[in-house]
Amino acid sequence: MLKGSDNRVDELKALGWSAEDLRKYEELWEYRQRWGAINLEREEREFLRKAEAALPRRAANGKGGGRKTIQEKSHYRWLAAQLEAMRSSPVETGLENGRIGAWPIVLEEELRALAYYEPVLGLPDTLKAKALTPARERWIEAAAASGETLSFDFPGALEAIRQSGTSSWKSLRSETVENPMGYPVLDPEDAASFRAMVRQEVLALTRSTFPSLAETSKSEPPDDWQPSR
């Protein structure tokens, strides 16, 4: 039987657990909720038992809430927080004549694909999600070739996100990227073409990258499909 219906990462954080252990706990907990403890390695099960032993007992007052929605999963929240940081930044709010940054387009399409296909986003999925990093850089490089490149403070935005979100969240950018502050912006026509290209590749990568979607029978969403708010 699954132990509880919501993880308690905030309580472990208050107990002084490290950011790396908090990330590990959250990912293993979500994996166990979806696939069961039998599929975890011995040391992973022991880690979860250690975490649960450290937590105070809860009063037996009925069942908790249901399983997390995709929007509540750590990976989704990480992408959404990065997107919001860009949308509210001076570089984005200062754009005129319908111009838009390429980075928000990429993240909007990733979030759309996740909301549609709803992968588990447990440990196996989040480990494989790292494969999207070079794809993002490739898309951004393509956008830079057809638009103006401004500058965005990715490290500063990440630090602000960590302060208000989860301290273990990582940067979007590859450590080896040539222009770590690069922020291409596109005119409306180029932005529409860029979005169409990114959308198709993101949908295909989402289906092929996340192990929990290996047997999905969902076809691609209609072009006008958007997640409910």
Side-chain angles (χ1 to χ4, degrees):
M1 182 178 294
L2 299 179
K3 298 182 179 180
S5 57
D6 58 339
N7 75 51
R8 302 170 67 182
V9 66
D10 290 339
E11 294 177 66
L12 290 173
K13 183 177 181 180
L15 291 173
W17 281 47
S18 70
E20 183 62 23
D21 282 346
L22 292 174
R23 180 195 62 78
K24 182 178 179 181
Y25 165 76
E26 186 169 31
E27 291 176 347
L28 290 176
W29 184 93
E30 289 182 356
Y31 182 87
R32 185 181 65 182
Q33 287 292 102
R34 179 65 176 85
W35 302 106
I38 194 171
N39 294 306
L40 294 171
E41 299 292 337
R42 177 182 175 184
E43 57 268 24
E44 293 172 336
R45 293 195 297 271
E46 290 176 348
F47 180 86
L48 283 174
R49 284 196 292 269
K50 175 185 174 183
E52 286 156 359
L55 290 164
R57 290 184 177 274
R58 284 178 166 173
N61 57 353
K63 294 182 179 180
R67 183 176 295 168
K68 280 186 176 182
T69 65
I70 189 72
Q71 289 82 4
E72 294 172 316
K73 300 292 183 72
S74 180
H75 181 74
Y76 189 101
R77 291 189 294 111
W78 169 69
L79 288 173
Q82 302 272 7
L83 174 58
E84 181 55 33
M86 293 174 188
R87 284 175 171 170
S88 61
S89 69
V91 64
E92 192 69 32
T93 58
L95 295 176
E96 298 178 343
N97 301 320
R99 295 201 302 165
I100 185 174
W103 271 107
I105 292 174
V106 168
L107 298 186
E108 286 167 2
E109 293 305 317
E110 281 196 59
L111 290 167
R112 176 179 181 268
L114 292 173
Y116 180 75
Y117 285 113
E118 296 185 306
V120 174
L121 294 182
L123 183 59
D125 281 350
T126 54
L127 289 175
K128 290 292 186 180
K130 296 175 183 177
L132 287 165
T133 300
R136 292 188 196 107
E137 297 294 353
R138 175 167 50 81
W139 297 325
I140 294 303
E141 184 178 353
S146 58
E148 178 186 6
T149 297
L150 303 180
S151 181
F152 178 78
D153 185 5
F154 285 90
L158 177 61
E159 184 57 33
I161 290 168
R162 285 173 170 170
Q163 293 296 325
S164 59
T166 300
S167 60
S168 60
W169 281 346
K170 308 296 184 183
S171 174
L172 279 171
R173 306 303 307 268
S174 167
E175 294 180 356
T176 59
V177 68
E178 290 185 4
N179 185 1
M181 300 286 193
Y183 192 86
V185 296
L186 301 168
D187 292 332
E189 185 175 344
D190 289 333
S193 298
F194 179 71
R195 184 183 295 277
M197 180 271 291
V198 170
R199 173 167 294 183
Q200 289 303 309
E201 294 196 23
V202 164
L203 290 171
L205 272 174
T206 299
R207 290 195 307 271
S208 64
T209 298
F210 296 104
S212 65
L213 295 177
E215 298 181 6
T216 184
S217 59
K218 269 191 171 183
S219 58
E220 288 191 0
D223 200 50
D224 61 353
W225 185 88
Q226 290 296 329
S228 57
R229 299 293 181 181

